[in-house]
Amino acid sequence: MTRIYLELGPKRVFACSLDWPGWCRVAKGEEAAVDLLMDYVPRYRVIAERAGLTFDPGPPEVVGRVPGSATTDFGAPGAECELDSEPVGAERAERGVAVLRAAWELFDEVVAVSPEQLRKGPRGGGRDLTKIYHHVVDAERSYARQVGVRHKPYTSREDRDALREELAQVLSRPWQPPRSTGWTPAYAVRRLAWHVIDHLWEIEDRRGG
């Protein structure tokens, strides 16, 4: 079975994998969210395979439900699951970071070959490429503080890479409760990977061709 949990917002529901960081989808209703998550298996497999992992998920099993918020309805998984407070062994930690690194690599590759102007949404909205890129990397600096990694605003790509490397080192370590930072490592690697992957897929969907 594939362990997932549901984050229940007032209007929308996130279905998130507990074992595959960043594999999360949101929809209106529990069943729709789970169905959408499974629809994205082929796209997530690209990321898992880049990480050197075999991704062949079984049927989804809902093992937890957590109350969401306006953040959920906005489209971001903003609540930790109780299972995120379980100990994280070395193998699981390293596997999660491998997925995160793969997401970073693929995101950078897609940004490099995509046009600046992306197809607009049905109401004419949506950031163009450079704004999406800066949104993602600036959010990472904010997210990093939740696990004790603090860097000044970037002045170069090297600054960004230094933060990512420190994040990867921190999140690849085994972890035992109680927590000493704002986020547990399990939630942090999920939130970081989801944000990169979500915008990676957004660019792919909106660049046309």
Side-chain angles (χ1 to χ4, degrees):
M1 304 296 285
T2 297
R3 298 191 311 157
I4 67 172
Y5 74 92
L6 302 178
E7 181 179 320
L8 310 173
K11 297 179 181 178
R12 304 175 80 188
V13 176
F14 257 100
C16 295
S17 169
L18 281 162
D19 302 307
W20 292 97
W23 185 29
C24 305
R25 292 287 87 191
V26 65
K28 293 182 178 180
E30 295 187 14
E31 184 176 348
V34 174
D35 287 347
L36 187 59
L37 183 74
M38 301 309 292
D39 287 346
Y40 271 73
V41 165
R43 296 185 79 170
Y44 190 88
R45 182 175 288 119
V46 174
I47 298 158
E49 289 180 348
R50 173 62 68 92
L53 302 169
T54 300
F55 181 64
D56 188 19
E61 178 184 10
V62 177
V63 297
R65 286 176 170 82
V66 296
S69 64
T71 300
T72 315
D73 285 353
F74 180 73
E80 291 189 33
C81 177
E82 183 178 343
L83 294 170
D84 289 334
S85 295
E86 292 181 340
V88 177
E91 182 178 354
R92 181 183 173 193
E94 291 169 3
R95 184 167 161 272
V97 168
V99 170
L100 179 58
R101 287 187 185 277
W104 282 333
E105 288 179 9
L106 288 165
F107 178 77
D108 285 351
E109 289 172 11
V110 167
V111 167
V113 298
S114 296
E116 173 61 23
Q117 290 190 330
L118 301 173
R119 188 165 46 225
K120 300 300 182 185
R123 297 182 181 178
R127 302 178 180 95
D128 283 331
L129 184 70
T130 298
K131 288 186 177 180
I132 292 175
Y133 171 78
H134 285 295
H135 166 70
V136 170
V137 299
D138 289 342
E140 285 175 0
R141 200 168 60 85
S142 175
Y143 293 168
R145 291 196 292 270
Q146 297 294 330
V147 290
V149 175
R150 290 175 170 80
H151 282 232
K152 295 179 180 179
Y154 308 130
T155 59
S156 66
R157 189 181 183 94
E158 287 73 23
D159 290 345
R160 183 209 70 173
D161 291 345
L163 175 127
R164 286 181 170 180
E165 187 58 37
E166 186 176 350
L167 261 178
Q169 291 176 9
V170 167
L171 295 173
S172 64
R173 299 169 187 155
W175 180 81
Q176 292 277 347
R179 75 174 68 197
S180 58
T181 56
W183 290 351
T184 62
Y187 176 75
V189 72
R190 180 185 311 122
R191 181 69 179 265
L192 280 156
W194 164 79
H195 197 235
V196 176
I197 292 168
D198 191 60
H199 287 294
L200 160 65
W201 289 341
E202 178 194 359
I203 295 168
E204 289 178 338
D205 291 343
R206 292 180 54 217
R207 66 185 178 181

